[in-house]
Amino acid sequence: MVADLFVALLGLSTPLVSAVAPGLELTCSLNRATQGISISSDGRKFLSQRYSTSDPPQAVELLNDNSTRLYPNVAWNSYNSSNPNSNPRRTFVSIDGARIGPDGRYWLVDGGSQGVNGSSKLVGVNLTTDAVDKLYYLDSIIASSSSIDDVRFNAAGDVAYLSDTAGALLVLNMTTGKNILDNDYLLVGDIFATAWAGLDFSGFETGDSVAVFGSSPVGLLAALCHTPRGIRSILDYEPKGVKRSIDCIGYEAVNADLKHEQNIVINSMVSVTAQGGGIGLIGWFTAPGSSSGTPRGSTMSPTIEFPISDFFDKGLSMRSGAVDVLPSAPGAG
């Protein structure tokens, strides 16, 4: 198998193979430059062969008698740039990478040709039927001056990671066929990092009980970091109060009657937080003033009533402010 791999990849002659690695046995020789070999779980061997000075790229299966056959068929290996009837969407234009995926398919990366629509694609061949049954066109997710040249998959086989010659890494959702854009990572890059910072602001340590105020995306993700309980159940199960409280609401808090009450959350946090505990404020507490973007901004007072005596007597600490997400999610920048 080692000899097969070595010779198939490089197409070396017998003397050179012996010179490079004595003991290797030449099992076959190839007339075309071969870029890579992929071996299926049942031992089938597939070779990707790029352009030579005169021949188009092709994919072949290496048979047991060391002969090859075009794979998956002649049609897919028939591209001719000089023939206007040659269809770049259904032929290999430039095979730049290939491998067996976790789903058992033989996947080929066709980097295509700049300016040739539909030529850049990811092609999946079903090894049971020897037919293309998965096809993703990539023109819309790559820069006009670059191309795709390789692929890897996650363990489930539903996400493909494609390397770009410009240095980018593109992520393809193979269920929807769409590129996973930066916005899809918002929960990781911003919202989750903000929720995590709320725990840090409160002084959280492993084993601490925590109350999270607010069921916004930030509050829900803060809850994933630590299982919270509502105020009433907190007082039932934690009669001396919780160790940490996190505000994920801010100035826009409302009371049980759904009336705007700016200080209800921060007062409740002081009430339920135990002696020596900590409070983290990541809800927004800046009074914006009225503008075209915040027409009711003036209803937010820049000051609120605060139970300073209880806060002082309990020896509580509090940290607040806008969150810098980069320490928690470096890729967000």
Side-chain angles (χ1 to χ4, degrees), residues 41-111:
S41 60
D42 59 358
R44 295 175 69 182
K45 304 178 186 70
F46 303 93
L47 311 177
S48 56
Q49 300 177 321
R50 286 180 57 85
Y51 279 103
S52 67
T53 55
S54 58
D55 299 317
Q58 64 182 27
V60 300
E61 181 176 7
L62 181 64
L63 304 176
N64 291 334
D65 62 359
N66 290 333
S67 63
T68 60
R69 70 179 180 106
L70 293 173
Y71 195 81
N73 52 44
V74 173
W76 268 97
N77 291 276
S78 64
Y79 180 70
N80 184 346
S81 59
S82 300
N83 182 353
N85 294 320
S86 189
N87 183 2
R89 297 178 63 86
R90 302 292 298 183
T91 56
F92 297 128
V93 176
S94 177
I95 300 174
D96 293 293
R99 67 184 50 254
I100 303 296
D103 58 0
R105 287 182 175 84
Y106 180 40
W107 289 95
L108 298 105
V109 177
D110 189 342

Side-chain angles (χ1 to χ4, degrees), residues 8-328:
L9 282 173
L10 302 181
L12 298 174
S13 64
T14 303
L16 185 54
V17 171
S18 300
V20 172
L24 287 179
E25 178 184 353
L26 178 66
T27 61
C28 69
S29 60
L30 302 167
N31 295 324
R32 291 186 54 142
T34 300
Q35 180 186 16
I37 182 171
S38 301
I39 303 175
S40 67
S41 60
D42 59 358
R44 295 175 69 182
K45 304 178 186 70
F46 303 93
L47 311 177
S48 56
Q49 300 177 321
R50 286 180 57 85
Y51 279 103
S52 67
T53 55
S54 58
D55 299 317
Q58 64 182 27
V60 300
E61 181 176 7
L62 181 64
L63 304 176
N64 291 334
D65 62 359
N66 290 333
S67 63
T68 60
R69 70 179 180 106
L70 293 173
Y71 195 81
N73 52 44
V74 173
W76 268 97
N77 291 276
S78 64
Y79 180 70
N80 184 346
S81 59
S82 300
N83 182 353
N85 294 320
S86 189
N87 183 2
R89 297 178 63 86
R90 302 292 298 183
T91 56
F92 297 128
V93 176
S94 177
I95 300 174
D96 293 293
R99 67 184 50 254
I100 303 296
D103 58 0
R105 287 182 175 84
Y106 180 40
W107 289 95
L108 298 105
V109 177
D110 189 342
S113 179
Q114 291 184 19
V116 180
N117 292 334
S119 62
S120 181
K121 51 193 174 288
L122 179 63
V123 182
V125 184
N126 187 314
L127 297 187
T128 300
T129 62
D130 292 326
V132 172
D133 65 351
K134 294 285 185 179
L135 186 56
Y136 301 90
Y137 294 104
L138 307 175
D139 290 344
S140 64
I141 67 172
I142 60 175
S144 59
S145 59
S146 66
S147 63
I148 304 298
D149 62 3
D150 207 353
V151 66
R152 297 291 188 275
F153 302 93
N154 68 341
D158 57 359
V159 176
Y161 303 93
L162 300 146
S163 57
D164 185 296
T165 56
L169 179 66
L170 305 179
V171 184
L172 178 69
N173 183 325
M174 301 183 72
T175 301
T176 65
K178 296 181 179 180
N179 183 31
I180 300 176
L181 302 174
D182 289 342
N183 286 343
D184 294 308
Y185 288 107
L186 182 61
L187 291 180
V188 176
D190 182 22
I191 304 299
F192 186 81
T194 301
W196 191 265
L199 285 174
D200 288 342
F201 282 9
S202 72
F204 175 79
E205 296 179 355
T206 301
D208 285 348
S209 54
V210 179
V212 177
F213 291 80
S215 57
S216 65
V218 172
L220 292 174
L221 284 170
L224 288 177
C225 301
H226 191 94
T227 304
R229 303 184 181 102
I231 293 178
R232 182 170 301 172
S233 61
I234 286 173
L235 296 179
D236 288 343
Y237 290 98
E238 303 284 353
K240 295 183 179 180
V242 296
K243 191 65 175 178
R244 313 292 172 188
S245 292
I246 304 172
D247 166 51
C248 301
I249 301 175
Y251 261 167
E252 296 179 310
V254 296
N255 57 28
D257 297 322
L258 300 183
K259 301 295 184 181
H260 184 212
E261 189 174 341
Q262 290 182 195
N263 64 342
I264 188 171
V265 170
I266 197 166
N267 287 359
S268 297
M269 294 170 74
V270 172
S271 176
V272 304
T273 305
Q275 190 81 22
I279 294 173
L281 298 182
I282 53 174
W284 197 251
F285 276 91
T286 297
S290 294
S291 67
S292 58
T294 56
R296 300 183 67 248
S298 59
T299 63
M300 301 291 182
S301 172
T303 60
I304 59 174
E305 292 185 5
F306 180 76
I308 187 64
S309 293
D310 290 343
F311 182 84
F312 180 85
D313 290 342
K314 285 186 171 183
L316 302 179
S317 62
M318 180 166 59
R319 180 182 171 187
S320 64
V323 174
D324 179 4
V325 303
L326 293 181
S328 298

